[in-house]
Amino acid sequence: MEPEPPLLTMSGITKSFPGVRALDGVDLEVRAGEVHCLLGQNGAGKSTLIKVLAGAHQPDGGQITWRGEPVALKSPIAAMRLGIATIYQELDLVAGLSVAENVFLGREHTTARFVVRPGAGRSAAAALLRRLGHPEIDPAREVGELSAAQQQIVSMARALSHDARLIVMDEPSAALDPDEVDNLFRVVAALTADGVAVVYISHRLEEIRRIGDRVTVLKDGRAVAVGLPAKSTPTKDVVAMMTGRNVEYVFPPRPDTPSVRRDAPVLTVRGLSRPGEFDPLDLELRPGEIVGLAGLVGSGRSEILETIYGARTPGTGTVAVGGRELRTGSVRAAVAAGIGLAPEERKAQALLMTESVTRNVSVSSLSRFSRAGWLDRSGERAAARAATRELSMRPDDPDTAVRTLSGGNQQKAVLARWLLRGCRVLLLDEPTRGVDVGARAELYAVIRRLADDGLAVLLVSSEVPEVLGLADRVLVLREGRVVHRADAADLDEHRVLDLVMEGSPTS
């Protein structure tokens, strides 16, 4: 008797976006009743692959086979009709509706005259919730009142209501506590026992050991391993497959730091925390020093920067600049004290895309150019031009609309803003995201030169080589906790990935 064909086969899948080849001939094979784990660092192609599988992206090439037959997943509805459901990390539930209304959204139970029958919907939702082992969830309750774990169960019930035979789970445990993770695993085990296949995406290798049957590893848009046994493949081998990139990193030389460390801290953070985002943190940053925060998405890196900057109010702790404690939760106070932030999403959070370079650079320093209610536009323009020239920004035209600049020069416009402001502490969140390879080297040189001139820099990057190549010291974060502190020269990429995935606190 011949074995059953795989439930799903994706062969040679390619997908490109402007300037980026996100998937480069990826293969994936999923069997009925298995948990197939999809691993890879940020930017490896996992999200793009599952969006192709969900029908949200159309592949440029390759073939998808479902139950032995070639298929074209032209839309999310087409994928759902075949029996493929995707539960994204950011759950797409409607907070103002009930559990039952969310489960059957767009497919409400109606009479022959199309009158909605709420009772029938609640009964059907209750049956699905019982199947998932959660009869305590009230189908009539508003879904926004549920815990994160309960909302996830509702998303699974919605998937099962479509008679899903394959469910993709994107970082399902990211917002769950250990007991809730155990319950999630019991639900997954019950689903696979019924023959449902699960594609499970997680950065937590210990979870893969517990729940996974096979593993596919992506790196730089390629599948470097397909269908490895999850429980017997050594962790070090999985980490080795996930590391390494096609991009060359060219970093400026790191100066000797002992003299820097004798200086008084310019930034002092004591016991800073935000419940559910990051645990109490102590940090000192000295003039001329670059400190890197390494960790995965969800580890609290960006939240730490935004809390120091005053964009988030901490649960506990203090922030001081030059020994003077700031009013927390106030961007105005942070900027006045000399803290600047270059955020992760610079187009949405930092830049005025339709305005000129001059206005983008001067926007945090306009009071300098105001005279009796009038703006000194020539002075504003001259100061902006001086700041951008110091960073070798191109084109050298302060009247250029910032939306026309390359990613690297847009980032320089953000840095020039804080240079003009005279900030003492610069917070950098993913400074080279969306920046091409050549411009990266320029940005690295700019960041190091700013530090050499006395600026204190706190850096976040998803790319471990970037953190290790730029920073003097590194704090490694895992699930909101600092699990390791070390000089960057004493760490390598494998060690950092080991720590962020399976580390335990050492400091």
Side-chain angles (χ1 to χ4, degrees):
M1 183 176 178
E2 292 188 11
E4 284 189 40
L7 181 68
L8 169 78
T9 303
M10 303 179 80
S11 303
I13 302 298
T14 61
K15 180 65 180 177
S16 295
F17 300 99
V20 178
R21 192 167 180 84
L23 299 175
D24 190 7
V26 171
D27 296 336
L28 177 68
E29 179 193 275
V30 183
R31 301 167 184 163
E34 78 165 335
V35 177
H36 197 114
C37 300
L38 189 60
L39 302 179
Q41 295 193 82
N42 300 319
K46 304 187 301 296
S47 295
T48 304
L49 185 65
I50 66 170
K51 286 178 180 177
V52 169
L53 179 55
H57 285 334
Q58 298 306 304
D60 299 327
Q63 185 176 64
I64 302 173
T65 302
W66 177 254
R67 292 182 167 180
E69 297 291 331
V71 294
L73 304 176
K74 295 294 187 182
S75 68
I77 292 175
M80 190 68 78
R81 284 174 177 164
L82 284 176
I84 301 170
T86 301
I87 302 174
Y88 295 101
Q89 185 174 353
E90 298 295 329
L91 300 178
D92 54 350
L93 300 176
V94 182
L97 299 183
S98 71
V99 168
E101 288 168 333
N102 271 278
V103 169
F104 294 106
L105 188 62
R107 299 170 295 117
E108 290 78 5
H109 291 72
T110 61
T111 65
R113 295 186 177 184
F114 303 104
V115 176
V116 175
R117 296 186 296 144
R122 288 194 290 269
S123 296
L128 291 169
L129 294 167
R130 284 195 299 272
R131 179 182 171 187
L132 292 170
H134 282 269
E136 79 285 356
I137 298 178
D138 183 359
R141 190 175 179 188
E142 187 178 324
V143 79
E145 299 174 354
L146 302 180
S147 68
Q150 290 173 320
Q151 289 183 5
Q152 206 159 56
I153 297 299
V154 174
S155 289
M156 291 185 199
R158 182 164 65 187
L160 291 178
S161 75
H162 289 271
D163 194 27
R165 303 311 301 166
L166 186 152
I167 300 178
V168 180
M169 298 183 181
D170 186 8
E171 297 283 356
S173 64
L176 306 184
D177 63 33
D179 288 341
E180 291 170 334
V181 172
D182 290 342
N183 183 67
L184 170 67
F185 287 178
R186 284 192 291 270
V187 170
V188 171
L191 290 172
T192 54
D194 283 345
V196 176
V198 173
V199 173
Y200 190 93
I201 299 172
S202 178
H203 285 110
R204 301 172 177 176
L205 292 191
E206 71 276 14
E207 291 185 1
I208 307 309
R209 292 269 180 268
R210 289 178 57 191
I211 197 173
D213 294 305
R214 294 191 300 152
V215 170
T216 289
V217 181
L218 300 187
K219 182 182 73 173
D220 297 328
R222 297 182 178 181
V224 295
V226 179
L228 295 176
K231 293 178 175 60
S232 60
T233 303
T235 298
K236 64 180 179 62
D237 291 352
V238 174
V239 171
M241 290 177 222
M242 293 169 62
T243 59
R245 291 174 177 80
N246 297 328
V247 175
E248 285 191 23
Y249 296 83
V250 181
F251 299 106
R254 182 185 291 115
D256 294 332
T257 57
S259 60
V260 168
R261 295 185 183 179
R262 289 194 291 270
D263 293 339
V266 63
L267 175 71
T268 304
V269 174
R270 291 284 180 262
L272 196 70
S273 72
R274 273 182 60 89
E277 292 181 354
F278 60 92
D279 291 350
L281 169 74
D282 291 336
L283 169 69
E284 290 184 346
L285 189 58
R286 291 169 171 77
E289 186 177 36
I290 301 177
V291 172
L293 301 181
L296 301 172
V297 172
S299 63
R301 309 165 310 174
S302 297
E303 291 80 2
I304 289 171
L305 263 58
E306 291 173 4
T307 304
I308 292 172
Y309 184 63
R312 297 175 185 243
T313 302
T316 63
T318 61
V319 176
V321 174
R324 185 172 181 177
E325 190 173 313
L326 308 184
R327 179 162 63 91
T328 54
S330 169
V331 172
R332 182 185 294 271
V335 171
I339 299 177
L341 171 67
E344 178 179 5
E345 300 295 338
R346 59 179 171 271
K347 290 184 179 180
Q349 297 174 316
L351 294 172
L352 307 171
M353 295 300 291
T354 60
E355 295 285 349
S356 67
V357 169
T358 291
R359 183 49 47 86
N360 273 277
V361 172
S362 68
V363 69
S364 295
S365 307
L366 286 176
S367 61
R368 284 179 51 180
F369 310 105
S370 179
R371 302 287 185 273
W374 294 89
L375 188 65
D376 176 9
R377 294 188 182 276
S378 62
E380 176 195 20
R381 187 176 184 275
R385 185 165 204 162
T388 56
R389 280 184 170 175
E390 189 169 341
L391 302 181
S392 302
M393 189 169 164
R394 294 183 296 274
D396 181 18
D397 180 1
D399 299 324
T400 299
V402 80
R403 62 181 169 77
T404 65
L405 302 180
S406 67
N409 283 295
Q410 286 180 353
Q411 187 69 290
K412 287 181 181 180
V414 178
L415 299 183
R417 174 186 303 167
W418 298 119
L419 194 63
L420 179 60
R421 176 75 195 189
C423 81
R424 305 168 66 187
V425 178
L426 182 59
L427 311 176
L428 298 178
D429 195 352
E430 303 285 3
T432 62
R433 175 162 292 177
V435 175
D436 65 40
V437 177
R440 283 186 176 208
E442 285 189 28
L443 276 175
Y444 297 152
V446 165
I447 293 166
R448 173 50 68 184
R449 179 160 52 80
L450 291 174
D452 290 346
D453 289 343
L455 197 63
V457 179
L458 186 59
L459 166 77
V460 162
S461 175
S462 297
E463 302 190 27
V464 176
E466 191 164 273
V467 175
L468 297 180
L470 276 175
D472 304 303
R473 290 188 293 123
V474 175
L475 277 62
V476 182
L477 294 166
R478 181 172 183 264
E479 298 178 16
R481 297 176 295 162
V482 175
V483 297
H484 195 70
R485 299 172 187 255
D487 288 348
D490 295 334
L491 293 169
D492 60 31
E493 189 175 359
H494 287 212
R495 175 62 174 147
V496 172
L497 284 170
D498 272 340
L499 287 164
V500 300
M501 290 175 180
E502 298 188 299
S504 57
T506 60
S507 57

